[in-house]
Amino acid sequence: MSRADISIRETGGLNYVPSDRWVVATGTPITIKAGEPCKQNATADENVILLVDADLTVATDQPMAGIAVIDSSETASAAGYVDVYAPLPSVKWEIKSLSATATDTQAEIDALIGQLEIIDSTSSKFTMDTAAGSTSTNAFLIVGGDPNRSTVWFRIRPDACSFGRASV
């Protein structure tokens, strides 16, 4: 994937967004890059992995850990760490839309406000799949966007995170 797929739009009144350190399992170096979303690997697991295509659905997928602050530090022979921004509900995030033409006017973005969506990872970057359809179990709440950049702004539902719900 690529760096800076997701960025902070607003800190929700905080001076900075708090971060947590998670373990990244041994493997190909730099599994998680800054600006990429990650979730717990398994129930009550200390390891995090990248979101996969069509993530994240509440009570189906593993809980969201956050958005990477820095690149992960694992190596082929040793586990590493990644610091992730805590997915607080007051923080507003920004991400490109999967289809730029679906969010290139203010009217299109306005029509998306309040929808719950999922993240797409079928290309070389993470994007918001605004065409997937809003369902009550999707984790990302659309709250606006920038038609000049074809981005959407979103918040992460607390019940999609490890601190906001029971493990699946």
Side-chain angles (χ1 to χ4, degrees), residues 34-45:
E36 293 184 330
C38 53
K39 63 182 181 178
Q40 282 182 275
N41 187 40
T43 302
D45 191 0

Side-chain angles (χ1 to χ4, degrees), residues 57-163:
T57 52
V58 176
T60 301
D61 295 317
Q62 294 301 327
M64 178 105 179
I67 309 296
V69 177
I70 59 171
D71 292 351
S72 58
S73 64
E74 78 283 1
T75 67
S77 59
Y81 299 97
V82 65
D83 293 337
V84 299
Y85 289 118
L88 303 175
S90 60
V91 176
K92 188 184 294 183
W93 306 93
E94 184 171 32
I95 188 171
K96 290 274 190 189
S97 176
L98 174 61
S99 170
T101 59
T103 55
D104 61 356
T105 70
Q106 191 60 53
E108 290 168 332
I109 290 171
D110 290 348
L112 292 170
I113 292 174
Q115 291 193 16
L116 293 165
E117 299 292 350
I118 54 176
I119 286 184
D120 180 88
S121 64
T122 55
S123 63
S124 61
K125 62 185 177 221
F126 288 97
T127 57
M128 187 68 69
D129 189 350
T130 58
S134 181
T135 67
S136 62
T137 56
N138 290 347
F140 307 106
L141 175 67
I142 305 287
V143 294
D146 183 347
N148 296 319
R149 301 177 58 210
S150 292
T151 61
V152 292
W153 306 331
F154 69 96
R155 296 188 194 279
I156 302 168
R157 292 174 49 171
D159 57 347
C161 306
S162 52
F163 59 79

